[in-house]
Amino acid sequence: MQQPLDPQEIPPGCPAHGNVQMYGPAFGADPDSHYARLRLLGPSATVDIAPDVQAELVTSYDAALYVLQNPASFVRDSRRWNALNEGRVPADSPALPMMGYRPNALFSDGAAHARLRRAVTDSLATVNEHQLIRQTQQSANYLISQFSTDIRGQAELMAEYAQPLPLLVFSDLFGCPPDIGDRVIAGISGIFEGTPGADVVLGGALTELIALKRRRPTDDLTTRLMDHPAQLSDEELLHQLVTLLSGGTAPLAATIGTSSALYLGEDWQVGLPVEDAVSQTLWNYAPIANYAAHYPTHDVELGGRTIRANDPVLVSFAAANTDPRLTQHREQLSAKAHLAFGAGPHACPAKDPAFMIAVTAVETLLNQLHDVELRVPFKSLAWAPSPWSRSLVTLPIRFTPRAVPQAAGSAGTAAGQAPQQQAATPTVTHAGTSRPDAGAPSQPKGGLFSRFLAWTRGE
C-alpha cells in the first residue's frame, strides 16, 4: 500500500493548495494516492466530488462507522442540502442524479425509512438461494455462449459478460416479460452510459411492469413488494424498483469484473477459492467507492474539524477499507468487516445474494472456459474515472474458442468437430452481447432479455 506523502511533496491542486478533485482521468488512474493525500488532513476532508460541488469525504474506517451508525446526528434526506437549496449546485451537475432526493429507502430516515426498508428486506428474504444460483448460471451460460465461438478466441468481459449478467438475473427475478425486460435493461444501461432519455425509458418500463403485476400477479419480487403489508403506493413501488435495479446491477457488474480479473491476474495464488477473489475485491476495490451522502442534523465535530449542519458528508468506502490503521490488523477481523456493503440502518439489504451472484458468475466463467486468461496484466487494466464507483473500463480475455453451432440443414461437420469454414466475425449488439454476422444461424429478434428467454426455450 502506498505510504502517505510528506506535505512538502504535495503538488498544487492537492489538499494543501485547495480541494482534491475526486473525478476525472487523474483520479480514475490513481485513486489511492488521492486517498493518501486526504488522510494527511485527518479522518475527513473537503473535496470536489464534481465541478463546483463540494462535500466532506470521510476516509477513516472508524469515522465512517461513526457516521453510518449514528442516524440521530447524520440523516440521508438530501432535501436538507445547503448548497442545493441555496442554488450553488449547477443544474446539470453529474452529482445531482447520485445525490438528489428520491422518495425511496435510500433517502429516507426514521419511521419512513423503516417502513420502506422492511418491504425490501422481507421481499428479498423470500428469494430461494438455489433458484438464484440457477438463474445466475443460466444467464452466465447464455452470455458465454454468445462470445465463446469467436474464432479469435477473444472477448471483452466487462461489456459482454460482467455488465449484462446482473441485468438478466434481475429482470428475471423481478418478473419482467420480454418486451419490458428489454426496456428495463436499455434504461439501466443508458443511465450508466449517459444516454439521453434513459431514465424516461426505465421509468416507463417499470410503470408498465407495476400495472401488469397489479392485473396479473405472479411469483416474483415485484409482486412480493406489491403484496407486502407496508402497502406501497405505485409511486413508492416505482422508486424502490429503480433503487434495487440500478443500485444493484452496476456494483454487481463491477464486482464480477474485478473479481474475475483478480483471479486471472498474475499475482493470484493458485488454489485459493473464488470466494477469496470476491472478498478481496470488496475490501480493496469497493465497487461503490464514494457515496452514502449524510447530512448532519447539527454542527458536528469530526477529527477536530467542525462540519456545518446540512452540508453533505460522503463516506469513502474505498478509503475506509484500505485505511492503514485498519490494514495493520485486518487479519484479525472478520472477512465481512469491510464497508463495501455499508453499515448501520442503511446497509445494503441484498449483500448475501449479491455475494452469491458474484461468486457464481466467476465460477461459471472458469468452468465453461477452462483456459481463459487475461490478455494484459492486471496492473495495466484501466479504471473508470468516476468518484462513485470502482469499475474496470475493459477486461480483455482470451480462450480456446468453441465450435460454432451449425444451422439445421446446412452442410455439416461431425458432431463436436470444429467447422472447416471460418466463423463469422462477431459484432457488438445491445448491452455488449455479441452475435455472428450473416451466414450464421439466425438470431431471435428483440433486445437482450428477449434473446436470452428465447435461448432458454431452445428457439
Side-chain angles (χ1 to χ4, degrees), residues 264-294:
L264 299 173
E266 59 275 14
D267 294 332
W268 186 253
Q269 183 177 334
V270 176
L272 290 179
V274 168
E275 286 87 346
D276 282 14
V278 176
S279 292
Q280 284 194 32
T281 294
L282 297 173
W283 271 108
N284 299 325
Y285 305 92
I288 301 176
N290 306 288
Y291 196 47
H294 290 71

PDB file of all heavy atoms in Angstrom, residues 264-294:
ATOM      1  N   LEU A 264      -7.751 -14.153 -12.403  1.00  0.00           N
ATOM      2  CA  LEU A 264      -6.949 -14.472 -13.589  1.00  0.00           C
ATOM      3  C   LEU A 264      -5.633 -13.707 -13.616  1.00  0.00           C
ATOM      4  O   LEU A 264      -4.812 -13.931 -14.509  1.00  0.00           O
ATOM      5  CB  LEU A 264      -7.751 -14.141 -14.855  1.00  0.00           C
ATOM      6  CG  LEU A 264      -9.059 -14.914 -15.044  1.00  0.00           C
ATOM      7  CD1 LEU A 264      -9.832 -14.367 -16.245  1.00  0.00           C
ATOM      8  CD2 LEU A 264      -8.791 -16.398 -15.215  1.00  0.00           C
ATOM      9  N   GLY A 265      -5.432 -12.811 -12.654  1.00  0.00           N
ATOM     10  CA  GLY A 265      -4.258 -11.947 -12.672  1.00  0.00           C
ATOM     11  C   GLY A 265      -2.971 -12.650 -12.309  1.00  0.00           C
ATOM     12  O   GLY A 265      -2.951 -13.756 -11.749  1.00  0.00           O
ATOM     13  N   GLU A 266      -1.878 -11.978 -12.593  1.00  0.00           N
ATOM     14  CA  GLU A 266      -0.550 -12.562 -12.426  1.00  0.00           C
ATOM     15  C   GLU A 266      -0.174 -12.775 -10.962  1.00  0.00           C
ATOM     16  O   GLU A 266       0.688 -13.603 -10.655  1.00  0.00           O
ATOM     17  CB  GLU A 266       0.501 -11.672 -13.112  1.00  0.00           C
ATOM     18  CG  GLU A 266       0.577 -10.234 -12.588  1.00  0.00           C
ATOM     19  CD  GLU A 266      -0.407  -9.272 -13.226  1.00  0.00           C
ATOM     20  OE1 GLU A 266      -1.358  -9.725 -13.901  1.00  0.00           O
ATOM     21  OE2 GLU A 266      -0.231  -8.063 -13.039  1.00  0.00           O
ATOM     22  N   ASP A 267      -0.813 -12.060 -10.036  1.00  0.00           N
ATOM     23  CA  ASP A 267      -0.434 -12.168  -8.627  1.00  0.00           C
ATOM     24  C   ASP A 267      -1.341 -13.099  -7.828  1.00  0.00           C
ATOM     25  O   ASP A 267      -1.165 -13.248  -6.618  1.00  0.00           O
ATOM     26  CB  ASP A 267      -0.455 -10.779  -7.966  1.00  0.00           C
ATOM     27  CG  ASP A 267       0.620  -9.855  -8.534  1.00  0.00           C
ATOM     28  OD1 ASP A 267       1.662 -10.375  -8.984  1.00  0.00           O
ATOM     29  OD2 ASP A 267       0.414  -8.630  -8.528  1.00  0.00           O
ATOM     30  N   TRP A 268      -2.326 -13.732  -8.492  1.00  0.00           N
ATOM     31  CA  TRP A 268      -3.257 -14.578  -7.749  1.00  0.00           C
ATOM     32  C   TRP A 268      -2.591 -15.890  -7.348  1.00  0.00           C
ATOM     33  O   TRP A 268      -1.897 -16.525  -8.148  1.00  0.00           O
ATOM     34  CB  TRP A 268      -4.489 -14.872  -8.587  1.00  0.00           C
ATOM     35  CG  TRP A 268      -5.544 -15.627  -7.817  1.00  0.00           C
ATOM     36  CD1 TRP A 268      -5.888 -16.933  -7.946  1.00  0.00           C
ATOM     37  CD2 TRP A 268      -6.362 -15.105  -6.772  1.00  0.00           C
ATOM     38  NE1 TRP A 268      -6.884 -17.262  -7.048  1.00  0.00           N
ATOM     39  CE2 TRP A 268      -7.190 -16.155  -6.302  1.00  0.00           C
ATOM     40  CE3 TRP A 268      -6.476 -13.846  -6.167  1.00  0.00           C
ATOM     41  CZ2 TRP A 268      -8.120 -15.983  -5.282  1.00  0.00           C
ATOM     42  CZ3 TRP A 268      -7.400 -13.677  -5.143  1.00  0.00           C
ATOM     43  CH2 TRP A 268      -8.207 -14.734  -4.726  1.00  0.00           C
ATOM     44  N   GLN A 269      -2.793 -16.282  -6.104  1.00  0.00           N
ATOM     45  CA  GLN A 269      -2.206 -17.526  -5.593  1.00  0.00           C
ATOM     46  C   GLN A 269      -3.068 -18.712  -6.029  1.00  0.00           C
ATOM     47  O   GLN A 269      -4.247 -18.797  -5.667  1.00  0.00           O
ATOM     48  CB  GLN A 269      -2.107 -17.479  -4.072  1.00  0.00           C
ATOM     49  CG  GLN A 269      -1.452 -18.709  -3.469  1.00  0.00           C
ATOM     50  CD  GLN A 269      -1.321 -18.586  -1.959  1.00  0.00           C
ATOM     51  OE1 GLN A 269      -1.262 -17.493  -1.407  1.00  0.00           O
ATOM     52  NE2 GLN A 269      -1.252 -19.728  -1.284  1.00  0.00           N
ATOM     53  N   VAL A 270      -2.492 -19.600  -6.804  1.00  0.00           N
ATOM     54  CA  VAL A 270      -3.216 -20.760  -7.317  1.00  0.00           C
ATOM     55  C   VAL A 270      -3.736 -21.598  -6.153  1.00  0.00           C
ATOM     56  O   VAL A 270      -3.032 -21.839  -5.168  1.00  0.00           O
ATOM     57  CB  VAL A 270      -2.303 -21.625  -8.219  1.00  0.00           C
ATOM     58  CG1 VAL A 270      -3.041 -22.876  -8.659  1.00  0.00           C
ATOM     59  CG2 VAL A 270      -1.841 -20.822  -9.425  1.00  0.00           C
ATOM     60  N   GLY A 271      -4.979 -22.015  -6.258  1.00  0.00           N
ATOM     61  CA  GLY A 271      -5.585 -22.842  -5.237  1.00  0.00           C
ATOM     62  C   GLY A 271      -6.549 -22.118  -4.326  1.00  0.00           C
ATOM     63  O   GLY A 271      -7.380 -22.744  -3.662  1.00  0.00           O
ATOM     64  N   LEU A 272      -6.457 -20.782  -4.281  1.00  0.00           N
ATOM     65  CA  LEU A 272      -7.411 -20.027  -3.472  1.00  0.00           C
ATOM     66  C   LEU A 272      -8.777 -20.050  -4.148  1.00  0.00           C
ATOM     67  O   LEU A 272      -8.882 -19.994  -5.367  1.00  0.00           O
ATOM     68  CB  LEU A 272      -6.943 -18.583  -3.297  1.00  0.00           C
ATOM     69  CG  LEU A 272      -5.709 -18.360  -2.417  1.00  0.00           C
ATOM     70  CD1 LEU A 272      -5.357 -16.880  -2.358  1.00  0.00           C
ATOM     71  CD2 LEU A 272      -5.949 -18.889  -1.004  1.00  0.00           C
ATOM     72  N   PRO A 273      -9.855 -20.126  -3.380  1.00  0.00           N
ATOM     73  CA  PRO A 273     -11.192 -20.214  -3.977  1.00  0.00           C
ATOM     74  C   PRO A 273     -11.661 -18.887  -4.545  1.00  0.00           C
ATOM     75  O   PRO A 273     -11.117 -17.816  -4.223  1.00  0.00           O
ATOM     76  CB  PRO A 273     -12.062 -20.639  -2.786  1.00  0.00           C
ATOM     77  CG  PRO A 273     -11.346 -20.112  -1.583  1.00  0.00           C
ATOM     78  CD  PRO A 273      -9.881 -20.216  -1.907  1.00  0.00           C
ATOM     79  N   VAL A 274     -12.688 -18.953  -5.374  1.00  0.00           N
ATOM     80  CA  VAL A 274     -13.266 -17.751  -5.977  1.00  0.00           C
ATOM     81  C   VAL A 274     -13.794 -16.805  -4.898  1.00  0.00           C
ATOM     82  O   VAL A 274     -13.714 -15.581  -5.041  1.00  0.00           O
ATOM     83  CB  VAL A 274     -14.389 -18.139  -6.960  1.00  0.00           C
ATOM     84  CG1 VAL A 274     -15.205 -16.920  -7.371  1.00  0.00           C
ATOM     85  CG2 VAL A 274     -13.803 -18.826  -8.191  1.00  0.00           C
ATOM     86  N   GLU A 275     -14.315 -17.367  -3.805  1.00  0.00           N
ATOM     87  CA  GLU A 275     -14.819 -16.523  -2.720  1.00  0.00           C
ATOM     88  C   GLU A 275     -13.758 -15.543  -2.226  1.00  0.00           C
ATOM     89  O   GLU A 275     -14.073 -14.402  -1.866  1.00  0.00           O
ATOM     90  CB  GLU A 275     -15.292 -17.387  -1.540  1.00  0.00           C
ATOM     91  CG  GLU A 275     -16.601 -18.105  -1.779  1.00  0.00           C
ATOM     92  CD  GLU A 275     -16.415 -19.452  -2.461  1.00  0.00           C
ATOM     93  OE1 GLU A 275     -15.303 -19.723  -2.983  1.00  0.00           O
ATOM     94  OE2 GLU A 275     -17.378 -20.245  -2.466  1.00  0.00           O
ATOM     95  N   ASP A 276     -12.491 -15.971  -2.227  1.00  0.00           N
ATOM     96  CA  ASP A 276     -11.417 -15.084  -1.791  1.00  0.00           C
ATOM     97  C   ASP A 276     -11.236 -13.914  -2.755  1.00  0.00           C
ATOM     98  O   ASP A 276     -10.951 -12.791  -2.333  1.00  0.00           O
ATOM     99  CB  ASP A 276     -10.102 -15.858  -1.668  1.00  0.00           C
ATOM    100  CG  ASP A 276     -10.039 -16.688  -0.399  1.00  0.00           C
ATOM    101  OD1 ASP A 276     -11.101 -16.873   0.237  1.00  0.00           O
ATOM    102  OD2 ASP A 276      -8.942 -17.166  -0.049  1.00  0.00           O
ATOM    103  N   ALA A 277     -11.382 -14.184  -4.047  1.00  0.00           N
ATOM    104  CA  ALA A 277     -11.248 -13.111  -5.036  1.00  0.00           C
ATOM    105  C   ALA A 277     -12.362 -12.080  -4.860  1.00  0.00           C
ATOM    106  O   ALA A 277     -12.126 -10.868  -4.952  1.00  0.00           O
ATOM    107  CB  ALA A 277     -11.271 -13.683  -6.450  1.00  0.00           C
ATOM    108  N   VAL A 278     -13.581 -12.551  -4.609  1.00  0.00           N
ATOM    109  CA  VAL A 278     -14.698 -11.631  -4.398  1.00  0.00           C
ATOM    110  C   VAL A 278     -14.485 -10.836  -3.111  1.00  0.00           C
ATOM    111  O   VAL A 278     -14.696  -9.611  -3.074  1.00  0.00           O
ATOM    112  CB  VAL A 278     -16.037 -12.392  -4.360  1.00  0.00           C
ATOM    113  CG1 VAL A 278     -17.188 -11.439  -4.050  1.00  0.00           C
ATOM    114  CG2 VAL A 278     -16.281 -13.101  -5.687  1.00  0.00           C
ATOM    115  N   SER A 279     -14.027 -11.491  -2.046  1.00  0.00           N
ATOM    116  CA  SER A 279     -13.768 -10.795  -0.783  1.00  0.00           C
ATOM    117  C   SER A 279     -12.668  -9.745  -0.946  1.00  0.00           C
ATOM    118  O   SER A 279     -12.777  -8.629  -0.420  1.00  0.00           O
ATOM    119  CB  SER A 279     -13.381 -11.794   0.314  1.00  0.00           C
ATOM    120  OG  SER A 279     -14.470 -12.609   0.670  1.00  0.00           O
ATOM    121  N   GLN A 280     -11.602 -10.097  -1.665  1.00  0.00           N
ATOM    122  CA  GLN A 280     -10.525  -9.124  -1.894  1.00  0.00           C
ATOM    123  C   GLN A 280     -11.027  -7.934  -2.690  1.00  0.00           C
ATOM    124  O   GLN A 280     -10.628  -6.793  -2.454  1.00  0.00           O
ATOM    125  CB  GLN A 280      -9.356  -9.797  -2.611  1.00  0.00           C
ATOM    126  CG  GLN A 280      -8.510 -10.672  -1.716  1.00  0.00           C
ATOM    127  CD  GLN A 280      -7.180 -11.051  -2.356  1.00  0.00           C
ATOM    128  OE1 GLN A 280      -6.618 -10.280  -3.132  1.00  0.00           O
ATOM    129  NE2 GLN A 280      -6.690 -12.237  -2.039  1.00  0.00           N
ATOM    130  N   THR A 281     -11.914  -8.180  -3.645  1.00  0.00           N
ATOM    131  CA  THR A 281     -12.499  -7.081  -4.411  1.00  0.00           C
ATOM    132  C   THR A 281     -13.269  -6.150  -3.486  1.00  0.00           C
ATOM    133  O   THR A 281     -13.137  -4.920  -3.562  1.00  0.00           O
ATOM    134  CB  THR A 281     -13.436  -7.635  -5.496  1.00  0.00           C
ATOM    135  OG1 THR A 281     -12.660  -8.356  -6.458  1.00  0.00           O
ATOM    136  CG2 THR A 281     -14.191  -6.515  -6.196  1.00  0.00           C
ATOM    137  N   LEU A 282     -14.095  -6.716  -2.609  1.00  0.00           N
ATOM    138  CA  LEU A 282     -14.909  -5.896  -1.716  1.00  0.00           C
ATOM    139  C   LEU A 282     -14.044  -5.120  -0.726  1.00  0.00           C
ATOM    140  O   LEU A 282     -14.378  -3.989  -0.349  1.00  0.00           O
ATOM    141  CB  LEU A 282     -15.912  -6.781  -0.975  1.00  0.00           C
ATOM    142  CG  LEU A 282     -16.935  -7.482  -1.877  1.00  0.00           C
ATOM    143  CD1 LEU A 282     -17.772  -8.471  -1.081  1.00  0.00           C
ATOM    144  CD2 LEU A 282     -17.837  -6.468  -2.582  1.00  0.00           C
ATOM    145  N   TRP A 283     -12.923  -5.696  -0.306  1.00  0.00           N
ATOM    146  CA  TRP A 283     -12.016  -4.989   0.603  1.00  0.00           C
ATOM    147  C   TRP A 283     -11.195  -3.917  -0.124  1.00  0.00           C
ATOM    148  O   TRP A 283     -11.121  -2.772   0.327  1.00  0.00           O
ATOM    149  CB  TRP A 283     -11.053  -5.984   1.261  1.00  0.00           C
ATOM    150  CG  TRP A 283     -11.532  -6.594   2.532  1.00  0.00           C
ATOM    151  CD1 TRP A 283     -11.950  -7.886   2.725  1.00  0.00           C
ATOM    152  CD2 TRP A 283     -11.648  -5.967   3.817  1.00  0.00           C
ATOM    153  NE1 TRP A 283     -12.314  -8.090   4.038  1.00  0.00           N
ATOM    154  CE2 TRP A 283     -12.133  -6.935   4.733  1.00  0.00           C
ATOM    155  CE3 TRP A 283     -11.383  -4.675   4.278  1.00  0.00           C
ATOM    156  CZ2 TRP A 283     -12.355  -6.636   6.075  1.00  0.00           C
ATOM    157  CZ3 TRP A 283     -11.612  -4.388   5.631  1.00  0.00           C
ATOM    158  CH2 TRP A 283     -12.086  -5.354   6.507  1.00  0.00           C
ATOM    159  N   ASN A 284     -10.566  -4.290  -1.221  1.00  0.00           N
ATOM    160  CA  ASN A 284      -9.544  -3.434  -1.837  1.00  0.00           C
ATOM    161  C   ASN A 284     -10.022  -2.615  -3.032  1.00  0.00           C
ATOM    162  O   ASN A 284      -9.363  -1.647  -3.412  1.00  0.00           O
ATOM    163  CB  ASN A 284      -8.351  -4.289  -2.271  1.00  0.00           C
ATOM    164  CG  ASN A 284      -7.700  -4.995  -1.104  1.00  0.00           C
ATOM    165  OD1 ASN A 284      -7.634  -4.468   0.000  1.00  0.00           O
ATOM    166  ND2 ASN A 284      -7.220  -6.215  -1.332  1.00  0.00           N
ATOM    167  N   TYR A 285     -11.149  -3.008  -3.621  1.00  0.00           N
ATOM    168  CA  TYR A 285     -11.665  -2.292  -4.796  1.00  0.00           C
ATOM    169  C   TYR A 285     -13.181  -2.116  -4.622  1.00  0.00           C
ATOM    170  O   TYR A 285     -13.966  -2.556  -5.461  1.00  0.00           O
ATOM    171  CB  TYR A 285     -11.366  -3.073  -6.080  1.00  0.00           C
ATOM    172  CG  TYR A 285      -9.903  -3.408  -6.277  1.00  0.00           C
ATOM    173  CD1 TYR A 285      -9.378  -4.614  -5.816  1.00  0.00           C
ATOM    174  CD2 TYR A 285      -9.043  -2.502  -6.900  1.00  0.00           C
ATOM    175  CE1 TYR A 285      -8.029  -4.920  -5.973  1.00  0.00           C
ATOM    176  CE2 TYR A 285      -7.699  -2.805  -7.065  1.00  0.00           C
ATOM    177  CZ  TYR A 285      -7.201  -4.012  -6.600  1.00  0.00           C
ATOM    178  OH  TYR A 285      -5.863  -4.306  -6.761  1.00  0.00           O
ATOM    179  N   ALA A 286     -13.580  -1.487  -3.527  1.00  0.00           N
ATOM    180  CA  ALA A 286     -15.000  -1.357  -3.197  1.00  0.00           C
ATOM    181  C   ALA A 286     -15.785  -0.854  -4.406  1.00  0.00           C
ATOM    182  O   ALA A 286     -15.509   0.244  -4.919  1.00  0.00           O
ATOM    183  CB  ALA A 286     -15.180  -0.401  -2.029  1.00  0.00           C
ATOM    184  N   PRO A 287     -16.751  -1.641  -4.913  1.00  0.00           N
ATOM    185  CA  PRO A 287     -17.471  -1.251  -6.132  1.00  0.00           C
ATOM    186  C   PRO A 287     -18.169   0.098  -6.007  1.00  0.00           C
ATOM    187  O   PRO A 287     -18.191   0.875  -6.961  1.00  0.00           O
ATOM    188  CB  PRO A 287     -18.487  -2.382  -6.306  1.00  0.00           C
ATOM    189  CG  PRO A 287     -17.898  -3.542  -5.579  1.00  0.00           C
ATOM    190  CD  PRO A 287     -17.162  -2.961  -4.420  1.00  0.00           C
ATOM    191  N   ILE A 288     -18.773   0.375  -4.851  1.00  0.00           N
ATOM    192  CA  ILE A 288     -19.287   1.722  -4.575  1.00  0.00           C
ATOM    193  C   ILE A 288     -18.195   2.422  -3.779  1.00  0.00           C
ATOM    194  O   ILE A 288     -18.032   2.193  -2.584  1.00  0.00           O
ATOM    195  CB  ILE A 288     -20.606   1.667  -3.791  1.00  0.00           C
ATOM    196  CG1 ILE A 288     -21.659   0.880  -4.581  1.00  0.00           C
ATOM    197  CG2 ILE A 288     -21.111   3.068  -3.493  1.00  0.00           C
ATOM    198  CD1 ILE A 288     -22.965   0.700  -3.847  1.00  0.00           C
ATOM    199  N   ALA A 289     -17.439   3.275  -4.457  1.00  0.00           N
ATOM    200  CA  ALA A 289     -16.223   3.815  -3.859  1.00  0.00           C
ATOM    201  C   ALA A 289     -16.499   4.952  -2.883  1.00  0.00           C
ATOM    202  O   ALA A 289     -16.000   4.968  -1.752  1.00  0.00           O
ATOM    203  CB  ALA A 289     -15.270   4.286  -4.962  1.00  0.00           C
ATOM    204  N   ASN A 290     -17.261   5.947  -3.315  1.00  0.00           N
ATOM    205  CA  ASN A 290     -17.546   7.126  -2.506  1.00  0.00           C
ATOM    206  C   ASN A 290     -19.018   7.473  -2.678  1.00  0.00           C
ATOM    207  O   ASN A 290     -19.448   7.852  -3.779  1.00  0.00           O
ATOM    208  CB  ASN A 290     -16.690   8.317  -2.956  1.00  0.00           C
ATOM    209  CG  ASN A 290     -15.206   7.993  -2.966  1.00  0.00           C
ATOM    210  OD1 ASN A 290     -14.582   7.857  -1.923  1.00  0.00           O
ATOM    211  ND2 ASN A 290     -14.631   7.840  -4.157  1.00  0.00           N
ATOM    212  N   TYR A 291     -19.796   7.339  -1.602  1.00  0.00           N
ATOM    213  CA  TYR A 291     -21.235   7.572  -1.748  1.00  0.00           C
ATOM    214  C   TYR A 291     -21.849   7.762  -0.366  1.00  0.00           C
ATOM    215  O   TYR A 291     -21.188   8.224   0.559  1.00  0.00           O
ATOM    216  CB  TYR A 291     -21.880   6.403  -2.496  1.00  0.00           C
ATOM    217  CG  TYR A 291     -23.271   6.723  -3.027  1.00  0.00           C
ATOM    218  CD1 TYR A 291     -23.524   7.911  -3.708  1.00  0.00           C
ATOM    219  CD2 TYR A 291     -24.319   5.843  -2.836  1.00  0.00           C
ATOM    220  CE1 TYR A 291     -24.791   8.206  -4.196  1.00  0.00           C
ATOM    221  CE2 TYR A 291     -25.589   6.124  -3.316  1.00  0.00           C
ATOM    222  CZ  TYR A 291     -25.811   7.310  -3.990  1.00  0.00           C
ATOM    223  OH  TYR A 291     -27.060   7.602  -4.466  1.00  0.00           O
ATOM    224  N   ALA A 292     -23.128   7.402  -0.229  1.00  0.00           N
ATOM    225  CA  ALA A 292     -23.852   7.460   1.046  1.00  0.00           C
ATOM    226  C   ALA A 292     -23.818   8.863   1.641  1.00  0.00           C
ATOM    227  O   ALA A 292     -23.296   9.081   2.740  1.00  0.00           O
ATOM    228  CB  ALA A 292     -23.288   6.429   2.033  1.00  0.00           C
ATOM    229  N   ALA A 293     -24.373   9.833   0.934  1.00  0.00           N
ATOM    230  CA  ALA A 293     -24.403  11.209   1.434  1.00  0.00           C
ATOM    231  C   ALA A 293     -25.268  11.297   2.695  1.00  0.00           C
ATOM    232  O   ALA A 293     -26.414  10.855   2.707  1.00  0.00           O
ATOM    233  CB  ALA A 293     -24.945  12.145   0.361  1.00  0.00           C
ATOM    234  N   HIS A 294     -24.682  11.840   3.749  1.00  0.00           N
ATOM    235  CA  HIS A 294     -25.377  12.098   5.012  1.00  0.00           C
ATOM    236  C   HIS A 294     -25.371  13.606   5.263  1.00  0.00           C
ATOM    237  O   HIS A 294     -24.466  14.319   4.809  1.00  0.00           O
ATOM    238  CB  HIS A 294     -24.686  11.394   6.182  1.00  0.00           C
ATOM    239  CG  HIS A 294     -24.823   9.902   6.179  1.00  0.00           C
ATOM    240  ND1 HIS A 294     -24.168   9.095   5.272  1.00  0.00           N
ATOM    241  CD2 HIS A 294     -25.530   9.068   6.986  1.00  0.00           C
ATOM    242  CE1 HIS A 294     -24.481   7.822   5.524  1.00  0.00           C
ATOM    243  NE2 HIS A 294     -25.298   7.784   6.554  1.00  0.00           N
TER     244      HIS A 294
END
